């Protein structure tokens, strides 16, 4: 069954969703659809893995990518 | 393909009768644990009774399970909350572990450690004072300074080490009056009798590397640096003799040893433990290698899989327990920390075995230039060229700014086990924790995936073995040994971190 996750742009960077989708490509088929105020990811084909576990780990990775991208941008500003 | 079917019947479940708990199967029993750190073993039929709501007043397990919060009937929510608060007291304590890197110099590759310019490689006296003033801002009633060198020997900057200790002691007496502890993580390459006597006189504890018998220890030094076995043993004996001559409590005052485990160590679990016992050491800290610290060629020579390490660990732990049963008092550090979490109502204060991780809230690390990092691992990420975890410098920052920094908050969010897939359902959750910074190093992701996380495998395997031993009703002597480890350790010998690199 497909897992549909909405990442609100007020918190998550669209580039972070893309990066996480690339990182999780071997674990699931992930379709990304940008909208005006969010990015929607639909996960399917998770193989033998538990779909919810993959979805939760994917969400955490999107958050990590957002944190890292924002931090890197801040460091570049300071430099 | 042959089609086969399996009929599963869901267990009878009375959700409204149950407190929140997690469970797993260990040693033929069902282990149930909850967020207050309470746990119990149940037989299969008892577990079925629990799920079905059949454990009611009059059932032989009712009182135990009610008291521990596994049943809603008569649940004392106030007492349960108090137990949770006590287990999570680190959240309101303030940074208590301050890891100070005094020098980036090391003796490897140079006869006298002078290969790197000391003016930029050493912490200055002024910076050391600023680090102390910064650390003393902490609300924690106890402060532990771990004094280290990036190459394993802080004594290469002995003048500043002495100044930091003396300044901190004086400032503490003048101002905050905290309980203060100093530990030098030394590989003994810079140790002299004068330095040793000063460390003893000024209550600076000593932690070093001893990887096992001479042949193994000296073989490891090819890869890991540090002193030869004979030198390490000479200094361990020196400190042990002097502590005894001075009438110190040897339970508290002894050299702590860390054994770094290489591939060559895997076949020598008993010999490593026996070496520690023969040297009179009271504790051993078995340290696995981290694949990220080595180039592929070196890892191919000395590395191993997680399964190989955990098999080694189990054999070593079982031998340590057996020595204790025969009257030799020696503990293993990770097992002791986990036992304190399992068998006592308190938290032993180990910053990287907490949820959320204590990086930035319980631990801070300082570079030689006074830059502040949420943990020593974060400082090492900077030393590898990525300043992503840098919080600022002791000259600019205040401790409230550290606690509120986005970096520290991100680390806390990433290490909250309740929000981690797999951890949230794991029976070991009340006793576990991991380092997001290590996840960042090993997986490029603060959160990390549990299946790729070595710490996850390590903590689960060690807890499983400890619960297997605790479950054995036929072996009360072993249970007594484990209980002694948990209750006789002073917080001074257990708080700190389990992740520190061997000097």
């Amino acid at each position: 069954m497909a897992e549909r996750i909405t990442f609100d742009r007020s918190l998550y960077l669209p580039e972070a969703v893309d990066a996480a989708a690339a990182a999780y490509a071997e674990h699931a088929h992930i379709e990304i659809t940008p909208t005006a105020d969010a990015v929607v990811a639909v996960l399917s084909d998770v193989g033998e893995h538990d779909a919810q576990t993959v979805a939760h780990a994917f969400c955490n990775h999107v958050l990590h990518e957002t944190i890292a991208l924002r931090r890197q941008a801040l460091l570049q500003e300071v430099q | 393909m042959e089609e086969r079917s399996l009929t599963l019947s869901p267990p009878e479940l009375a959700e409204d009768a149950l407190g929140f708990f997690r469970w797993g199967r260990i040693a033929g029993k069902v282990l149930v644990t909850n967020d207050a750190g309470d746990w119990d073993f149940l037989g299969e039929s008892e577990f079925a009774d629990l799920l079905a709501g059949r454990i009611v007043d009059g059932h032989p397990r009712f009182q135990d399970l009610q008291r521990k919060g596994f049943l809603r009937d008569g649940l004392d929510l106030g007492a349960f909350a108090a137990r949770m608060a006590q287990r999570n007291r680190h959240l309101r304590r303030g940074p208590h572990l301050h890891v100070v890197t005094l020098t980036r110099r090391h003796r490897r590759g140079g006869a006298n450690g002078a290969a790197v310019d000391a003016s930029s490689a050493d912490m200055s006296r002024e910076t050391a004072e600023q680090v102390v003033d910064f650390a003393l801002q902490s609300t924690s009633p106890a402060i532990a300074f771990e004094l280290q060198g990036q190459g394993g020997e802080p004594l290469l900057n002995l003048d500043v080490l002495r100044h930091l200790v003396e300044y901190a002691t004086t400032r503490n007496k003048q101002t905050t009056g905290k309980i203060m502890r100093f530990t030098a993580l030394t590989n003994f390459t810079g140790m002299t009798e004068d330095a040793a006597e000063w460390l003893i006189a000024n209550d600076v504890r000593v932690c070093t590397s001893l990887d096992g018998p001479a042949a193994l220890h000296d073989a490891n030094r090819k890869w890991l640096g540090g002193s030869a076995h004979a030198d390490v043993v000479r200094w361990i004996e020196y400190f042990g003799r002097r502590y005894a001559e001075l009438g110190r409590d040897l339970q508290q005052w002894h050299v702590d040893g860390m054994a770094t485990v290489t591939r060559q160590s895997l076949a020598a679990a008993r010999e490593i433990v026996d070496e520690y016992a023969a040297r009179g050491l009271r504790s051993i800290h078995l340290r696995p290698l981290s694949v990220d610290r080595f180039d592929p060629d070196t890892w191919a020579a000395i590395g191993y899989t997680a399964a190989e390490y955990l098999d080694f660990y189990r054999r070593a732990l079982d031998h340590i327990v057996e020595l204790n049963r025969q009257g030799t008092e020696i503990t293993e550090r990770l097992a002791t920390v986990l036992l304190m979490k399992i068998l006592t109502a308190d938290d032993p204060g180990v910053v990287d075995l907490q949820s959320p991780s204590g990086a930035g809230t319980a631990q801070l690390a300082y570079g030689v230039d006074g830059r502040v990092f949420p943990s020593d691992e974060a400082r090492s990420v900077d030393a590898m060229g990525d300043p992503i975890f840098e919080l600022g410098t002791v000259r600019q920052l205040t401790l409230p700014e550290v606690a509120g920094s986005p970096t520290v908050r991100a680390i806390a969010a990433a290490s909250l086990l309740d929000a981690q897939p797999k951890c949230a359902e794991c029976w070991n959750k009340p006793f576990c924790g991991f380092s997001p910074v290590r996840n960042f190093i090993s997986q490029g992701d603060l959160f990390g995936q549990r299946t790729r996380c070595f710490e996850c495998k390590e903590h689960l395997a060690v807890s499983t073995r400890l619960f297997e031993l605790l479950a054995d009703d036929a072996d009360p002597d072993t249970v007594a040994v484990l209980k002694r480890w948990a209750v006789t350790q002073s917080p001074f010998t257990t708080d700190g971190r389990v992740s520190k690199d061997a000097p």
Side-chain angles (χ1 to χ4, degrees), chain A residues 24 56 60-61 63-64 71, chain B residues 388 390 444-447 449:
Chain A
Y24 272 66
H56 291 163
N60 278 346
H61 196 64
L63 184 54
H64 162 78
R71 180 74 175 141
Chain B
I388 191 164
E390 181 188 329
D445 181 350
L446 283 173
F447 295 84
Q449 292 176 19

Side-chain angles (χ1 to χ4, degrees), chain B residues 376-499:
Chain B
D376 190 54
E377 286 172 323
R379 183 202 56 78
S380 72
V381 172
D382 180 79
M384 290 184 277
D386 186 349
I388 191 164
F389 293 111
E390 181 188 329
L391 301 174
T393 78
V394 286
R395 290 173 279 281
Q396 307 162 327
L397 281 171
T398 63
L399 270 183
E401 285 171 340
V402 168
S405 89
T407 302
V408 171
R409 285 156 56 193
I411 288 171
S415 57
L416 193 64
L417 299 183
D418 303 85
Q420 275 287 348
K422 291 192 181 295
C423 298
E425 298 95 40
C426 178
W427 59 261
N428 199 35
K429 185 256 169 188
F431 318 114
C432 200
F434 66 82
S435 160
V437 177
R438 203 171 314 153
N439 283 343
F440 180 82
I441 296 169
S442 61
Q443 301 186 45
D445 181 350
L446 283 173
F447 295 84
Q449 292 176 19
R450 301 281 63 77
T451 51
R452 295 181 177 182
C453 179
F454 176 82
E455 284 170 289
C456 176
K457 295 184 178 79
E458 183 186 26
H459 296 164
L460 189 61
V462 177
S463 288
T464 299
R465 183 59 187 145
L466 294 172
F467 273 113
E468 283 172 353
L469 296 172
L470 291 169
D472 189 352
D473 298 327
D475 188 4
D477 291 348
T478 292
V479 174
V481 166
L482 300 183
K483 286 182 176 171
R484 193 175 70 233
W485 290 8
V487 299
T488 60
Q489 296 296 312
S490 136
F492 278 160
T493 59
T494 57
D495 75 358
R497 51 190 172 134
V498 288
S499 64

Side-chain angles (χ1 to χ4, degrees), chain B residues 196-208:
Chain B
E197 288 301 323
W198 187 89
L199 293 171
I200 293 167
N202 287 274
D203 292 346
V204 179
R205 288 155 203 273
V206 173
C207 177
T208 194

Side-chain angles (χ1 to χ4, degrees), chain A residues 7-53:
Chain A
F7 295 99
D8 196 292
R9 285 175 189 259
S10 66
L11 176 59
Y12 299 97
L13 293 173
E15 307 92 285
V17 183
D18 290 339
Y24 272 66
E26 64 180 280
H27 303 299
H29 175 71
I30 303 173
E31 268 190 36
I32 304 291
T33 310
T35 67
D37 52 5
V39 178
V40 177
V42 178
L43 279 69
S44 56
D45 297 340
V46 296
E48 78 274 23
H49 303 297
D50 173 60
Q52 272 205 334
T53 300

